[in-house]
């Protein structure tokens, strides 16, 4: 085998420069078509998807009872995915109920590939660029944390070369935006897929949407939706429509291309608002600086005037996380879950907690949660507006702002509300998904999992307060997976402007109708209705409806009680911790103007503590303000997302799956009984089960990996740690001592 | 707040059983005293103090001391702040002197066995703390003052007798014993063979009582190999004992070797007997110096020996101390994980579970009989056998089954509760103290976390057991072995914890329990799944408050709803059948709460 590898390498270097372009050349595709036709039974191609290269007699290594087994089959690479087609038909019973219709268990979308390793003479090396030698084994680490091992030992040399270089090329070399599969799919599926309107999810791409949101939050008294950026005349980073303080003249928006203008995110029921602002460009010129300053002064004067509450500025560019921090932490953290084999699992198990800590991912989550609590404290306890400032207002601004809304606005804890929130703060808010996910492989430096961090923060809340959310952790997990499926437009653009210009016809081969792109919120694209019920939290109890006479319009469903007057309320009567002191403090801080002065003063920390402790000392109101716990033991690893593919971490017949099946079972039973009694299912009882409870597999076959995998380990044999005991440091004298100090006598 | 919560649970008890008792939960609330009292509990003193709450700062209150508890009421809010059985007190220290300065610097600092400290500040004038110190010392450590432990004064009556829960003959019969390979022997009826073993033992049929006596001479403290559990199908067994007395010279004992061979021969499926020595091999070797040791290959031919690397009682004690350091009073925040790791507590849990899994797997799928021992066979051995039995036998996962398991493997086989816990003893630094039983309960909790539907009992059940492990309200955990209990007539003179639990069973039930007979449970002994039992170890911290489990609550609601519908359905059917004048076909009325969830009707 060794000779083969070397020979292959030599061949590769001698052969005419491999032309990767050829993989997409039409004639090449034509030649592949015949083969593809033969394989049609097994290889499922999406509309517009094209087979690029393939290799047969590939062994996919599967872990079984701590030994590796090979499944023989074919490895293919298309312009959408890498797929393994096993020769053995999958056992019917092994099919998970929770099947993704787009990405199968053995499919890896090209964007989901994280790292590719080759094994050469038992040594693992990262593969990139052009190879001189071809590996005997290919290891693919995915962004959704799956790990695939493909053994190429029995594959023809020629095929090895083609598949390996094909996979490397298509997953790792920089791409142009227009080459995204998104476009070929949209063009091909164009006629076949009718546009399915996303009921309830607000996309925030019309003026109406913003007006509706202002109305829903009662922010419309002080804020207005503006169309000044229609056609992106002012700024390409801003959406076409957004909301600003009502008295703000529209021309001030265009003054610095949308920078330095407070943009409305959300209003709390006491009238305080959460605002964001991108910082003005850093200028050296004193004159320009002066202009900036007076411009900002003007803006502040507008928003400080009654009826506006005081504003506290949170500069997220300083005193908070940096994007490189997040990047470093996540790359260390994910490595803990990309485990190649059983030995590695048990070796790392013994130092698991310190490994986790040294990644500092959980600490970063804690800091985000704390920041959101601080902001919530200002809005709630101090009745102050909060203005988030960041360079482009499109990374940490999105994170903090949406986290605050999840905590403060129960509507954001419904599915529709959460999806609308992601649309508002992230998609319309211009979070650079394309760069942050590195979808185009253009710059590794830009790749920062900010959105994933947000989902992880939300997961912490979901874990701590399950009844408060209409969606489940499974929903969050599949949402995080959807980041890498290039048929949805949601996470494949840097801004609404970019989306519009790339799909608007201009510059496209097909100049006619604008492309219809799918949104990720159409869950039926990925999941059958049965599987979709797993996204719905059976514990969620809808807020009891208010008096029916108040019902009017479609928005009322989500409206909260508005007990507080809409005009400025000087202090919220519910809780007024040290009101005067804080007002004084805020005034002081504002007197010195702007952000950077806001350090963690003791007073601010005391406010935080008091707010936090007082909230946690009461029973949580799942339809009101919701705060997370941030103590050490309460910030956890999102086990479902991170551990789901690791067979060693599987608890056969245990874990959350067992509870879920009991719960769904009894819900179904209640639903049936209701039918038999001749009653319409009551909301909140059986109704949560929705269209029909999924036919859950028997609990013995469920595991902690549910719903992502049924029992992977076929036998009932327990897995035993293989690593030994860590030395007990200074305790050795104790360790060697006898349990009892009694002499055993009769020696 | 052990008993405070207990009385809360009791309030759920059934209405129709409060016949002759002072009140339903047996707690006599004298309003003029404002202190709850158990029958037999007497008030000793009360005093105005400042309670230095580690979370909310100094609070003025009045402390009441009875012969059972320390009770504190706030003077400001007139609410109960503390209700601590004196049994949990491990140490009472005076802090500050008559001349020390600073606010609240003079008083008492009380260290508890349940992961907390209590601090009281008193007035500096006139040695005001002296009598409180003396009274507390007297009643918290009655043994040092020739006073009885409270359990003997407790006059609580229950409508079920917890002492009847465990009947060894019945339990062995449940296991299918005796059979033609194993017999029940009364050789230890008067504790003559082994004073720390129960009177009734199960031994190989082919071993005579004379053999047993000879084997006893070669096993530490005469704790000979006896049967703990037999597999219902393949008839392999778990046998427990203490270490052989091999010593430096490598002594051999033909009787012991023959005895192990007899045990091996009761199982014909595998030609070897597997021996699990719970200790790290280094310790097992070191034990030779004091006369102990392990079964060597050359002496015991048909055996396979494995060491399970579980550390001794001292290491465990220090580990728990470190846990307390990181959770009380304040919980580590950003360095939580590395601090947790440095306590090694979960690492010990992992090793114990790993050991028990190995034992269970060997018996179940390895079809080999297993012999488990450590040094004396009353700490690590009890942990391993009882956990393996919990994994293998679903009966022990029910409430009564678990009580039987504890009663059998721990209490009757002489886990030295008195020495490990130090009931009523003032010597807080005694090297014999160690949280071995707590560690076992923690392992059970870890299993119940991993298999949330497999156990009939809930977390509260485990916590109640731990609370009364220290409280001295019941006789259940008093003394080191059955012979001592018999001398003290514990079953006649005290109440059993199982009486309290079994008369309020509903509060200790896990609603998700789904009975699955013959299912073997293997927890995953990986740090990825083990977690610190926050609800127990950090329960005093109001910031980490235990909320009622919402999933459980919702499930209970649904169960209630289901039962309501079943009732309505029956009423409907009854009405219909009445119309059809055929009332006999209606089903009998359902039991109010079905213990298990059946999916269909």
């Amino acid at each position: 085998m060794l000779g083969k590898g070397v020979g292959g390498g030599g061949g590769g270097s001698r052969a005419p420069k491999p032309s990767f372009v050829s993989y997409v050349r039409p004639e090449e595709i034509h030649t592949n078509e015949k083969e593809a036709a033969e394989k049609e039974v097994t290889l499922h191609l999406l509309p517009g998807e094209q087979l690029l290269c393939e290799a047969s007699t590939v062994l996919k290594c599967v872990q079984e009872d701590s030994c590796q087994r090979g499944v023989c089959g074919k490895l293919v690479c298309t312009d959408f995915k890498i797929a393994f087609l096993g020769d053995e038909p999958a056992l019917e019973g092994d099919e998970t109920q929770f099947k993704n219709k787009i990405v199968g268990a053995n499919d890896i979308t090209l964007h989901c590939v994280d790292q590719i390793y080759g094994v050469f003479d038992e040594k693992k090396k990262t593969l990139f660029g052009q190879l001189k030698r071809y590996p005997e084994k290919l290891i693919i680490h995915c962004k959704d944390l799956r790990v695939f091992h493909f053994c190429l030992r029995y594959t023809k040399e020629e095929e090895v070369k083609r598949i390996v270089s094909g996979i490397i090329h298509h997953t790792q070399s920089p791409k142009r935006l227009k080459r995204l599969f998104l476009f070929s799919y949209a063009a091909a599926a164009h006629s076949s897929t009718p546009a399915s309107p996303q009921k309830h999810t607000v996309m925030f791409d019309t003026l109406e949407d913003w007006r509706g949101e202002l109305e829903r939050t009662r922010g419309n008294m002080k804020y207005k939706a503006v169309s000044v950026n229609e056609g992106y005349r002012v700024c390409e980073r801003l959406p076409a429509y957004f909301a600003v303080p009502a008295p703000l003249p529209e021309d001030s928006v265009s003054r610095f291309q949308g920078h330095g203008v407070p943009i409305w995110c959300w209003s709390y029921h006491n009238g305080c608002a959460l605002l964001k602002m991108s910082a003005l460009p850093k200028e050296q010129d004193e004159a320009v600086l002066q202009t900036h300053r007076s411009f900002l002064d003007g803006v502040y004067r507008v928003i400080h005037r009654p009826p506006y509450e005081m504003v506290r500025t949170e500069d997220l560019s300083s005193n908070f996380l940096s994007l490189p921090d997040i990047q470093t932490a996540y790359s260390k953290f994910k490595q803990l879950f990309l485990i190649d084999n059983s030995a590695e699992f048990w070796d790392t198990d013994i130092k698991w907690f310190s490994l986790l800590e040294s990644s500092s991912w959980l600490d970063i989550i804690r800091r985000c949660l704390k920041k959101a609590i601080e902001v919530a404290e200002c809005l709630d306890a101090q009745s102050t507006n909060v203005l988030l400032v960041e360079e482009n207002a499109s990374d940490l601004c999105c994170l903090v702002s949406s986290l605050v809304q999840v905590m403060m606005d129960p509507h954001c804890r419904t599915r529709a509300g959460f999806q609308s929130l992601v649309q508002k703060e992230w998609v319309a808010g211009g979070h650079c998904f394309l760069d942050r996910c590195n979808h185009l492989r253009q710059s590794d430096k830009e790749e920062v999992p900010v959105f994933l961090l947000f989902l992880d923060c939300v997961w912490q809340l979901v874990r701590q307060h399950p009844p408060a959310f209409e969606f489940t952790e499974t929903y969050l997990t599949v949402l995080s997976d959807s980041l890498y499926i290039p048929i949805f437009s949601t996470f494949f653009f840097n801004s609404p402007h970019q989306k519009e210009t790339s799909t608007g016809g201009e510059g496209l081969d097909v100049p006619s109708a604008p492309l219809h792109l799918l949104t990720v919120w159409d869950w039926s694209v990925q999941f059958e209705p049965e599987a979709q019920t797993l996204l719905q939290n059976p514990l969620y109890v809808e807020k009891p409806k208010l008096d029916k006479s108040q019902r009017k319009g479609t928005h009322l469903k989500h409206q909260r009680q508005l007990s507080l007057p809409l005009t400025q309320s000087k202090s919220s009567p519910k809780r007024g911790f040290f009101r005067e002191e804080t007002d004084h403090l805020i005034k002081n801080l504002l007197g010195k103007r702007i952000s950077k002065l806001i350090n963690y003063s003791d007073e601010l920390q005391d406010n935080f503590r008091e707010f936090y402790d007082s909230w946690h000392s009461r029973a949580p109101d799942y339809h009101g303000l919701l705060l997370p716990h941030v103590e050490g033991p309460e910030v956890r690893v999102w086990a479902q997302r991170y551990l789901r593919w690791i067979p060693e971490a599987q608890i056969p017949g245990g874990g959350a799956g067992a509870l879920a099946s009991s719960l769904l079972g009894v819900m179904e039973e209640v639903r049936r009984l209701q039918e038999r009694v001749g009653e319409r299912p009551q909301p909140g009882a059986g109704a949560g089960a929705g269209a029909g409870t999924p036919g859950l597999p028997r609990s013995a076959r469920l595991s902690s990996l549910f719903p992502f995998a049924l029992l992977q380990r076929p036998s009932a044999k327990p897995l035993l740690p293989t690593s030994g005991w860590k030395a007990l440091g200074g305790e050795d004298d104790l360790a060697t001592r006898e349990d009892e100090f009694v002499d055993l006598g009769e020696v | 707040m052990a008993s405070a919560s207990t009385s809360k649970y009791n309030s759920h008890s059934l209405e129709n059983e409060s016949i002759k008792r002072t009140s339903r939960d047996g707690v006599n609330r004298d309003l003029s005293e404002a202190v709850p009292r158990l029958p037999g509990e007497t008030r000793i003193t009360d005093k105005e103090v400042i309670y230095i709450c580690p979370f909310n700062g100094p609070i003025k209150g009045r402390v009441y001391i009875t012969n059972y508890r320390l009770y504190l009421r706030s003077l400001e809010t007139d609410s109960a702040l503390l209700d601590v059985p004196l049994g949990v007190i491990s140490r009472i220290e005076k802090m500050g002197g008559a001349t020390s300065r600073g606010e609240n610097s003079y008083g008492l600092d009380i260290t508890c066995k349940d992961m907390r400290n209590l601090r009281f500040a008193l007035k500096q004038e006139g040695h005001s703390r002296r009598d409180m110190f003396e009274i507390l010392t007297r009643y918290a450590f009655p043994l040092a003052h020739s006073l009885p432990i409270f359990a003997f004064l407790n006059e609580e009556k229950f409508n079920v007798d917890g002492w009847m829960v465990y009947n060894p003959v019945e339990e062995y019969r449940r296991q299918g014993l005796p059979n033609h390979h194993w017999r029940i022997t009364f050789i230890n009826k008067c504790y003559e063979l082994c004073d720390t073993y129960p009177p009734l033992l199960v031994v190989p049929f082919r071993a005579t009582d004379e053999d047993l006596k000879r084997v006893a001479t070669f096993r530490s403290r005469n704790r000979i190999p006896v049967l703990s559990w037999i597999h219902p199908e393949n008839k392999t067994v778990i046998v427990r004992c203490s270490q052989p007395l091999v010593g430096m010279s490598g002594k051999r004992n033909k009787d012991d070797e023959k005895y192990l061979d007899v045990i091996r021969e009761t199982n014909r499926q595998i030609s070897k007997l597997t021996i699990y020595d719970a200790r790290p091999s280094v310790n097992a070797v070191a034990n030779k110096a004091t006369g102990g040791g392990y079964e060597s290959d050359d002496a015991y031919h048909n055996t396979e020996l494995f060491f399970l690397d579980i550390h001794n009682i001292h290491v465990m004690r220090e580990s728990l101390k470190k846990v307390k350091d990181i959770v009380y009073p304040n919980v580590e925040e950003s360095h939580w994980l590395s601090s947790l790791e440095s306590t090694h507590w979960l690492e010990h849990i992992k090793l114990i579970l790993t050991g028990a899994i190995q034992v269970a797997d060997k018996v179940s799928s390895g079809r080999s009989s297993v012999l488990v021992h450590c040094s004396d066979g009353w700490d690590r051995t009890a942990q391993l056998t009882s956990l393996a039995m919990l994994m293998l036998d679903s009966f022990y996962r029910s409430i009564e089954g678990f009580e039987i398991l504890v009663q059998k493997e721990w209490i009757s086989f002489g886990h030295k509760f008195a020495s490990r816990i130090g009931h009523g003893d003032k010597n807080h630094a005694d090297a014999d103290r160690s949280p071995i039983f707590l560690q076992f309960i923690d392992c059970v909790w870890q299993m119940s976390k991993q298999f949330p539907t497999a156990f009939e009992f809930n977390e509260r059940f485990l916590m109640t057991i731990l609370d009364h492990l220290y409280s001295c309200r019941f006789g259940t955990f008093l003394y080191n072995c059955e012979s001592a209990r018999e001398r003290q007539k514990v079953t006649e003179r005290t109440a059993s914890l199982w009486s309290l639990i079994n008369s309020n069973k509903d509060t200790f039930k896990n609603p998700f329990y789904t009975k699955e007979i013959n299912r073997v449970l293997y927890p995953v002994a990986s740090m990825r799944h083990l977690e610190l039992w926050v609800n127990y170890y950090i329960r005093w911290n109001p910031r980490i408050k235990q909320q009622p489990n919402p999933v459980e609550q919702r499930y209970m609601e649904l169960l209630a709803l289901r039962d309501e519908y079943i009732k309505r359905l029956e009423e409907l059917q009854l009405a219909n059948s009445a119309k059809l004048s055929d009332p006999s076909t209606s089903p009998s009325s359902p039991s109010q709460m079905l213990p298990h969830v059946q999916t269909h009707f």
Side-chain angles (χ1 to χ4, degrees), chain B residues 536-552:
Chain B
Y536 180 74
Y537 297 108
I538 321 187
R539 64 176 159 162
W540 309 121
N541 190 326
R543 277 177 202 137
I544 303 197
K545 213 177 40 164
Q546 311 160 48
Q547 284 163 7
N549 180 349
V551 185
E552 190 176 317

Side-chain angles (χ1 to χ4, degrees), chain A residues 268 380-381 572-577 579 611 614-615 618 625:
Chain A
Y268 191 42
D380 182 89
S572 99
K574 283 189 302 180
R575 3 169 162 215
F577 315 122
R579 280 222 54 77
F611 179 67
S614 114
W615 191 88
R618 285 166 304 186
L625 175 69

Side-chain angles (χ1 to χ4, degrees), chain A residues 157-212:
Chain A
E157 195 180 318
E158 207 41 46
E159 287 186 336
V160 170
K161 275 194 221 168
R162 282 173 48 151
I163 196 78
V164 173
S165 47
I167 287 174
I168 290 173
H169 173 73
H170 293 291
T171 58
Q172 298 196 335
S173 55
K175 259 199 180 101
R176 281 186 301 124
L177 176 62
K178 290 287 166 58
R179 293 236 76 104
L180 281 179
F181 179 67
L182 188 69
F183 297 105
S184 9
Y185 180 77
H190 177 246
S191 50
S192 57
T193 325
S196 54
Q198 261 328 288
K199 42 175 192 225
H200 307 316
T201 302
V202 185
M203 305 304 276
F204 289 95
D205 50 3
T206 64
L207 199 58
E208 250 334 286
D209 288 349
W210 286 95
R211 286 196 178 132

Side-chain angles (χ1 to χ4, degrees), chain B residues 416-465:
Chain B
K416 304 206 301 175
F417 281 104
S419 309
R420 297 288 175 260
I421 307 300
H423 293 126
D425 175 52
K426 69 175 196 304
N427 188 4
H428 64 89
D430 190 340
D432 254 359
R433 294 203 186 170
S434 186
I436 300 302
F437 186 71
L438 164 66
Q439 204 167 37
F440 158 70
I441 295 289
D442 194 331
C443 291
V444 175
W445 179 81
Q446 304 282 353
M447 282 181 71
S448 72
K449 277 296 271 191
Q450 295 193 12
F451 300 98
T453 62
F455 294 85
E456 193 195 1
F457 47 85
N458 56 19
E459 186 176 57
R460 198 178 292 148
F461 174 76
L462 298 177
M463 282 169 60
T464 305
I465 290 176

Side-chain angles (χ1 to χ4, degrees), chain A residues 649 669 684 731 735 738 740, chain B residues 287 322 420 529 554 562 601:
Chain A
E669 199 187 321
E731 282 168 27
E738 248 314 285
E740 316 293 330
Chain B
N287 257 290
K322 288 183 188 161
R420 297 288 175 260
H529 286 299
R554 175 91 176 113
R562 182 195 63 182
F601 280 89

Side-chain angles (χ1 to χ4, degrees), chain A residues 668-730:
Chain A
E668 173 63 12
E669 199 187 321
V670 166
R671 202 181 55 80
R672 271 195 218 139
L673 280 166
Q674 280 172 335
E675 271 171 15
R676 285 181 64 191
V677 175
E679 215 179 64
R680 286 168 51 89
Q682 272 177 12
T693 336
L696 281 162
R698 285 180 44 89
S699 68
R701 298 209 60 229
L702 291 175
S703 86
S704 57
L705 308 186
F706 176 83
F708 290 95
L710 288 179
L711 214 50
Q712 286 185 342
R713 283 194 268 132
S715 81
K717 260 193 103 53
L719 285 171
L720 289 166
T722 50
S723 63
W725 170 258
K726 211 165 68 177
L728 264 179

